[in-house]
């Protein structure tokens, strides 16, 4: 599929697994334009005026929900947040009925986060508004994958041939899966490492290299993407203690030194400083963690725009 | 009342019959089998081009009655059975209340008399309330007509309880049916653990959980000398363990389901809850081993594990959906499509595993076409191509992994005790 055939208008954004490289490129190129809006004094543009976006979040979230909310608002759309603790879900309403209710109000895009894998795909089969997957269980988180790729591309020029090390809890990570799909499509080389107990069996079938020791994955890496470790994984016995995790699998200064000197340090947040990532490197020169957040906003603006209004060209938004 | 089934291909695996001929039925019995039977006062059923087989026996069905009638009841479940060509179904004990005492077995049989259209055999619980703690009243249930005992849906976690159950059941030379998945290994897993679960991020139920469970059960059967039947075998390892155990003389039998023989875990990529089942649909390697095990006789029987659920229960996120789906109406179509029309197995062998094999395992006087026997007969159109449409199922359930699938081969008539209970898809 060539770039001129690409159009995301009217399509759902469920995951990077089924996306064409040219579609990914269109989003990343558009995001570059969007990023200029964020730095403006007056941010609001009228591009999506009259469009309604609902953030339907069945899991807690700060950065992703806020990012989608601001992305919609900067583009002039109306954005409503629905979170489970304040919704009819606590009254036992099924996902289908919640979706039909939201649909009946005439929204254009539903941004959904859900603990169950495939929930957004299920939703897309039920309602007419376009769906954006803002994370479904451990399956995919496509806008995170896109913002990570945007950040890498911005810093390194191209994704082609980059060695990207993804470190930590791969098993429970939708971020890892979206990164793997996206990066493989864009020609990067993906290395995974973490405790064996947190590495999915047969993950190598996705075309990635799997390492038992994180040092092997870090060796010569252009990008080090550190995943969040949830404390409850320790309670489930998947590793013995936070202390031991930090010692054997935590990314710290000496381990980061195994990567290329100009390697980027990334983290999708929220961080557990002192567990999966050492505090001194989290804000070091190599860290692009804050920039990731900004890029996330740009990527989400691009996605919303392309899905609702976009053609196959990157347009300058005024 | 006489009926003459004329000119069909009679396949009776019990005595290796495979011939074109006629079957004459008087009242509830078969009174003659042969070529060119002349009988002037019989109603004739022309069976040219059709296969006439012993009535199918499903040794693993969930009829959901009592207590779970939103999913299924005896009336709807036995109609689904008739539609699928089954003349006898053995129903599992995980109802509400659990079938764990004689009075409930008797009640089930009474309800079957009133509302059922095919024969029902009851499987009693091994443990009271399926709780895996205390033995249920097995002797009492046997006296009331239970044909086997199972905590299906649950593995008997305590090896001590399993030992006690086997020893106790063996007093009566009864049969214990095991749902073999080590629960600590499967936990809340929703699909086979492997490349597809790695891709989808869904929690896996590893094959080794089944292998370990089967291994323990076989060792205990060997130690106690009891009879054991392994339900819905789905892994390569389990097939191999059962094969080896049979070689050693362990009294083990096993079943496989049509869905484990037909689908792989690749189907889960749709996140369609219709594919959610325990044990889960496995990878191609396991499916191949299971098919081989079925062909070489390691797996004795085919059973549907018909597990209907209400529409709204399955109409949810994959993780929250209950496991299982209806199987009675799609079984023979799926099996003929994937095993017979593909050239993998003969029709006789497939029919054997759905009739005489389960009859022998459950010690039923059924599963064979012989003069003097009960006239329980299934008539198949082996070449009928049809599209699965759950909206017109006889079961109450409306989800099926075979939905929209094209199958070749179908039961077109079902006779129980000499009476047509289904003709051309219509349950009578």
């Amino acid at each position: 599929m060539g770039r001129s055939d690409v159009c995301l208008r009217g399509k759902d954004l469920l995951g990077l697994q089924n996306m064409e490289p040219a579609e990914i490129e269109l989003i990343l190129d558009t995001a570059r334009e969007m990023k200029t809006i964020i730095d403006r004094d007056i941010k609001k543009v009228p591009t999506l005026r009259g469009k309604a976006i609902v953030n339907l979040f069945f899991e807690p979230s700060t950065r992703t929900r806020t990012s989608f909310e601001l992305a919609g608002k900067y583009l002039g759309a109306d954005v409503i947040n629905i979170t489970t603790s304040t919704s009819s879900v606590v009254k036992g309403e099924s996902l289908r009925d919640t979706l039909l209710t939201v649909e009946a109000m005439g929204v254009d895009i539903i941004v959904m986060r859900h603990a169950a894998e495939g929930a957004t795909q299920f939703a897309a089969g039920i309602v007419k508004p376009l769906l954006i997957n803002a994370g479904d269980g451990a399956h995919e988180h496509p806008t995170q994958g896109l913002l990570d790729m945007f950040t890498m591309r911005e810093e390194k020029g191209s994704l082609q041939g980059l060695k990207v090390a993804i470190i930590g809890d791969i098993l429970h990570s939708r971020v890892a899966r979206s990164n793997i799909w996206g990066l493989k499509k864009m020609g990067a080389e993906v290395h995974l490492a973490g405790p064996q107990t947190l590495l999915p069996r047969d993950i190598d079938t996705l075309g990635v290299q799997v390492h038992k020791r994180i040092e092997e994955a870090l060796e010569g890496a252009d990008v080090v993407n550190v995943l969040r470790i949830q404390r409850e994984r320790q309670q489930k016995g998947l590793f013995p203690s936070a202390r031991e995790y930090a010692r054997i699998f935590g990314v710290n200064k000496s381990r980061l030194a195994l990567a290329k000197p100009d390697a980027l340090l990334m983290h999708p947040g929220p961080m557990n400083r002192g567990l999966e990532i050492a505090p001194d490197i989290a804000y070091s020169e190599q860290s692009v963690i804050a920039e990731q957040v900004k890029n996330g906003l740009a990527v989400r603006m691009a996605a919303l725009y392309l899905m609702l209004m976009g053609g196959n060209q990157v347009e300058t938004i005024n | 009342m006489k009926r003459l089934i004329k000119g069909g291909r009679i396949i009776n695996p019990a005595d290796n019959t495979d011939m074109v001929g006629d079957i004459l039925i008087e009242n509830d019995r078969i009174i003659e089998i042969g070529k060119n039977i002349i009988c002037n006062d019989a109603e004739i059923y022309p069976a040219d081009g059709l296969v006439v087989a012993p009535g199918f026996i499903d040794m693993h069905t969930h009829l959901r009655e009592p207590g779970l009638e939103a999913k299924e009841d005896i009336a709807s479940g036995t109609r689904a059975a008739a539609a699928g060509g089954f003349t006898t179904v053995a129903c599992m004990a995980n109802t509400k209340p659990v079938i764990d005492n004689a009075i409930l077995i008797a009640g089930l049989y009474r309800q079957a008399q009133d509302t059922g259209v095919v024969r029902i055999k009851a499987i009693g619980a091994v443990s009271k309330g399926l709780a895996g703690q205390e033995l249920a009243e097995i002797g009492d249930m046997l006296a009331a007509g239970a044909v086997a005992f199972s905590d299906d849906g649950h593995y008997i976690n305590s090896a001590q309880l399993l030992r006690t159950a086997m020893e106790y059941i063996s007093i009566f030379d009864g049969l214990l049916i095991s749902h073999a998945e080590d629960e600590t290994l499967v936990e809340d897993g929703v699909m086979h653990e492997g490349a597809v679960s790695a891709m989808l991020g869904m929690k896996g139920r590893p094959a080794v959980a089944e292998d370990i469970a089967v291994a323990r059960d076989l060792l205990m059967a060997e130690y106690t000398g009891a009879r054991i039947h392994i339900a819905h075998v789905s892994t390569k390892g389990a097939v191999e363990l059962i094969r080896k155990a049979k070689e050693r003389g362990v009294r083990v039998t096993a079943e496989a389901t049509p869905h484990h023989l037909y689908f792989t875990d690749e189907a889960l990529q749709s996140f369609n809850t219709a594919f959610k089942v325990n044990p889960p649909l496995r990878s191609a390697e396991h499916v191949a081993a299971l098919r081989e095990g079925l062909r070489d006789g390691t797996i004795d029987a085919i059973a549907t594990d018909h597990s209907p659920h209400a529409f709204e229960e399955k109409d949810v996120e994959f993780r929250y959906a209950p496991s299982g789906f209806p199987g009675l109406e799609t079984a023979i179509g799926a099996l003929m499509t994937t095993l017979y029309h593909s050239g993998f197995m003969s029709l006789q062998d497939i029919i054997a595993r759905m009739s005489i094999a389960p009859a022998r395992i459950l010690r039923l006087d059924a599963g064979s076409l012989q003069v003097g026997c009960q006239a329980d007969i299934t008539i198949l159109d082996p070449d009928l191509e049809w599209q699965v449409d759950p909206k017109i199922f006889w079961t109450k359930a409306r989800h099926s992994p075979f939905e929209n699938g094209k199958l070749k081969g179908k039961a077109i008539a079902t006779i129980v005790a000499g009476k047509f209970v289904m003709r051309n898809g219509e349950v009578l």
Side-chain angles (χ1 to χ4, degrees):
Chain A
M1 190 186 277
R3 180 57 177 276
S4 58
D5 308 318
V6 172
C7 180
L8 292 167
R9 192 166 179 165
K11 288 189 185 171
D12 297 313
L13 179 53
L14 302 180
L16 298 187
Q17 180 183 359
N18 296 315
M19 251 188 169
E20 296 290 336
E23 293 175 325
I24 291 173
E25 225 165 79
L26 177 63
I27 297 177
L28 300 186
D29 291 348
T30 307
R32 197 163 48 204
E33 296 298 318
M34 294 297 175
K35 197 171 173 183
T36 65
I37 298 175
I38 304 168
D39 291 325
R40 289 182 195 171
D41 193 25
I42 306 293
K43 298 172 197 345
K44 206 146 183 148
V45 294
T47 317
L48 298 184
R49 192 154 64 191
K51 299 290 182 186
I53 296 162
V54 165
N55 279 331
L56 185 57
F57 275 55
F58 295 91
E59 274 191 333
S61 163
T62 307
R63 71 200 65 219
T64 306
R65 189 184 52 70
T66 310
S67 184
F68 271 110
E69 184 173 356
L70 281 176
K73 285 181 170 168
Y74 285 177
L75 290 171
D78 292 306
V79 185
I80 299 293
N81 292 309
I82 302 175
T83 45
T84 40
S85 53
T86 57
S87 78
S88 50
V89 173
V90 294
K91 300 180 186 170
E93 189 176 51
S94 72
L95 178 55
R96 175 182 292 270
D97 292 340
T98 302
L99 286 162
L100 291 173
T101 304
V102 172
E103 178 183 39
M105 295 180 192
V107 309
D108 299 285
I109 287 189
I110 297 173
V111 179
M112 194 170 119
R113 168 167 290 187
H114 199 292
E117 295 80 16
T120 321
Q121 192 168 318
F122 173 73
I126 294 174
V127 291
K128 279 188 219 76
L130 299 176
L131 260 297
I132 295 180
N133 181 5
D136 62 327
H139 179 224
E140 281 230 44
H141 189 357
T143 57
Q144 180 73 44
L146 289 164
L147 80 87
D148 288 347
M149 286 193 285
F150 181 89
T151 307
M152 293 175 211
R153 202 178 71 157
E154 196 172 52
E155 301 286 335
K156 296 289 175 190
S158 165
L159 296 168
Q160 186 67 42
L162 279 190
K163 180 180 173 180
V164 180
I166 304 176
I167 308 294
D169 180 2
I170 313 290
L171 184 63
H172 301 94
S173 178
R174 51 195 173 214
V175 176
R177 285 178 183 78
S178 285
N179 262 272
I180 292 168
W181 290 119
L183 288 166
K184 292 293 297 173
K185 281 174 204 284
M186 303 310 283
E189 191 185 298
V190 180
H191 294 254
L192 306 178
Q196 181 83 30
T197 50
L198 295 173
L199 289 171
R201 202 176 167 81
D202 297 336
I203 190 78
D204 56 311
T205 54
L206 299 190
V208 295
Q209 295 194 49
V210 184
H211 305 273
K212 287 195 180 181
R213 295 182 59 247
I214 73 163
E215 288 80 359
E216 290 167 14
L218 292 172
E219 191 80 46
D222 295 292
V223 177
V224 178
N225 199 349
V226 185
L227 301 174
R228 172 181 169 75
I229 290 292
Q230 292 189 345
R231 303 261 174 191
E232 61 257 35
R233 307 299 175 211
Q234 187 267 321
Q235 287 145 23
K236 286 209 78 181
L238 293 168
F239 57 92
S241 66
R243 182 184 153 278
E244 181 162 315
Y245 186 93
R247 190 167 154 180
I248 302 176
F249 302 101
V251 176
N252 55 28
K253 201 167 184 175
S254 63
R255 289 199 176 110
L256 187 59
L258 296 167
K260 288 199 181 136
D262 61 346
L264 303 179
L265 178 66
M266 301 175 66
H267 192 297
M271 285 187 279
N272 293 300
R273 275 184 287 151
L275 179 55
E276 73 266 9
I277 190 165
D280 54 338
I281 59 167
Y283 298 113
S284 69
E285 289 238 311
Q286 281 173 272
S287 167
V288 287
I289 296 168
E291 197 64 17
Q292 280 176 274
V293 176
K294 184 172 181 180
N295 292 342
L297 187 50
V299 158
R300 287 168 185 129
M301 288 168 76
L304 292 171
Y305 167 73
L306 289 167
M307 289 167 69
L308 288 172
M309 310 292 283
N312 56 10
Q313 298 297 316
V314 178
E315 288 161 53
T316 308
I317 309 291
N318 291 306
Chain B
M1 174 80 206
K2 288 182 181 170
R3 284 196 172 87
L4 182 60
I5 302 166
K6 206 155 175 51
R9 177 181 168 197
I10 300 169
I11 297 181
N12 186 37
D15 60 8
N16 263 317
T17 301
D18 187 347
M19 65 160 194
V20 173
D22 309 338
I23 293 181
L24 184 62
I25 300 163
E26 184 170 19
N27 299 323
D28 61 339
R29 301 270 158 187
I30 295 175
I31 59 166
E32 193 178 348
I33 301 174
K35 288 186 189 282
N36 303 313
I37 297 173
I38 312 275
C39 181
N40 292 325
D41 58 344
E43 180 191 291
I44 291 176
Y45 185 94
D48 308 79
L50 304 178
V51 170
V52 181
F56 296 157
I57 297 163
D58 186 16
M59 63 180 298
H60 192 149
T61 300
H62 296 270
L63 292 178
R64 308 300 194 196
E65 192 174 346
L68 303 167
E69 292 85 353
K71 299 173 191 277
E72 192 81 294
D73 56 26
I74 289 171
S76 62
T78 56
R79 277 166 179 76
F86 291 91
T87 55
T88 301
V89 294
C91 55
M92 284 294 176
N94 60 342
T95 50
K96 270 188 186 165
V98 169
I99 306 295
D100 61 1
N101 64 53
I103 196 83
L104 287 166
I105 300 265
L108 196 65
Y109 281 136
R110 185 157 165 179
Q111 182 72 349
Q113 287 261 301
D114 292 347
T115 65
V117 297
V118 304
R119 299 178 201 273
I120 288 183
K121 298 293 171 189
I123 296 169
V126 173
S127 66
K128 284 179 189 158
L130 302 180
Q133 303 289 326
E134 293 173 70
L135 276 191
E137 291 178 337
I138 283 163
D140 237 20
M141 284 192 278
L142 268 171
V147 293
F149 299 91
S150 180
D151 275 4
D152 185 56
H154 301 278
Y155 186 51
I156 297 172
N157 286 311
S158 157
Q160 175 56 33
L161 179 69
L162 179 75
R163 175 190 177 159
T164 315
M166 281 185 168
E167 287 178 335
Y168 196 80
I169 292 170
S170 67
I171 298 169
F172 314 96
D173 201 25
L175 181 69
L176 187 144
I177 301 176
S178 172
H179 176 132
E181 281 188 293
D182 183 291
E183 289 189 345
T184 63
L185 279 170
V186 297
E187 272 188 312
D188 48 357
V190 295
M191 66 175 293
H192 174 64
E193 180 175 276
V196 183
S197 68
M199 188 191 303
L200 301 179
M202 292 209 279
K203 188 159 165 36
R205 300 172 82 88
V208 72
E210 183 171 328
D211 303 346
I212 286 171
V214 167
R216 188 204 68 174
D217 288 0
L218 292 172
L219 290 171
M220 194 61 84
E222 191 167 18
Y223 186 66
T224 59
R227 289 202 295 142
I228 188 166
H229 177 81
I230 310 294
H232 40 52
V233 173
S234 72
T235 66
K236 186 180 173 181
V239 172
E240 192 49 35
L241 285 161
I242 293 164
R243 190 178 282 130
K244 287 276 183 310
K246 284 187 164 183
E247 284 167 18
R248 296 199 303 277
V250 179
R251 299 172 78 198
V252 57
T253 54
E255 74 194 27
T257 70
H259 49 272
H260 288 118
L261 293 161
Y262 192 96
F263 294 108
T264 67
D265 59 345
E266 294 286 339
L268 278 287
Q269 290 204 48
S270 64
F271 292 107
N272 182 346
T273 59
F275 292 101
K276 187 173 176 186
V277 64
N278 295 335
L281 301 176
R282 302 288 184 189
S283 62
E285 170 193 22
H286 294 284
V287 174
L290 185 66
R291 291 162 67 108
E292 202 45 60
L294 183 72
R295 181 157 70 176
D296 73 15
T298 302
I299 305 294
D300 303 82
I302 295 167
T304 69
D305 193 8
H306 176 82
S307 303
H309 293 289
F311 179 82
E312 63 277 12
E313 294 174 305
K314 279 290 225 185
D315 183 37
V316 295
E317 301 87 322
F318 194 91
R319 185 188 287 186
Y320 308 139
S323 295
F325 40 74
L328 288 165
E329 290 167 82
T330 48
I332 188 61
L335 294 165
M336 289 181 73
T337 304
T338 189
L339 301 177
Y340 170 62
H341 289 297
S342 66
F344 186 79
M345 271 175 81
S346 71
L347 205 45
Q348 181 167 335
D349 284 348
I350 296 169
I351 291 168
R353 282 157 182 71
M354 299 179 77
S355 55
I356 189 65
R360 284 184 182 141
I361 295 166
L362 297 178
R363 298 186 174 164
L364 306 178
D365 182 18
S368 177
L369 298 172
Q370 262 146 2
V371 172
C373 284
Q374 285 276 356
D376 287 1
I377 299 171
T378 298
I379 299 174
L380 306 170
D381 183 341
D383 298 312
L384 182 68
E385 295 186 64
W386 58 292
Q387 188 162 0
V388 179
D389 180 5
K391 287 193 289 296
I392 57 169
F393 277 169
W394 291 87
T395 170
K396 290 185 182 181
R398 288 293 172 266
H399 288 87
S400 169
F402 295 99
E403 183 168 11
N404 296 324
K406 289 208 167 59
L407 301 180
K408 189 172 180 184
K410 198 174 198 293
I412 59 161
T414 308
I415 299 168
V416 176
K419 291 195 189 73
F420 280 95
V421 293
M422 184 275 281
R423 262 178 114 143
N424 299 323
E426 278 303 305
V427 177
L428 310 169

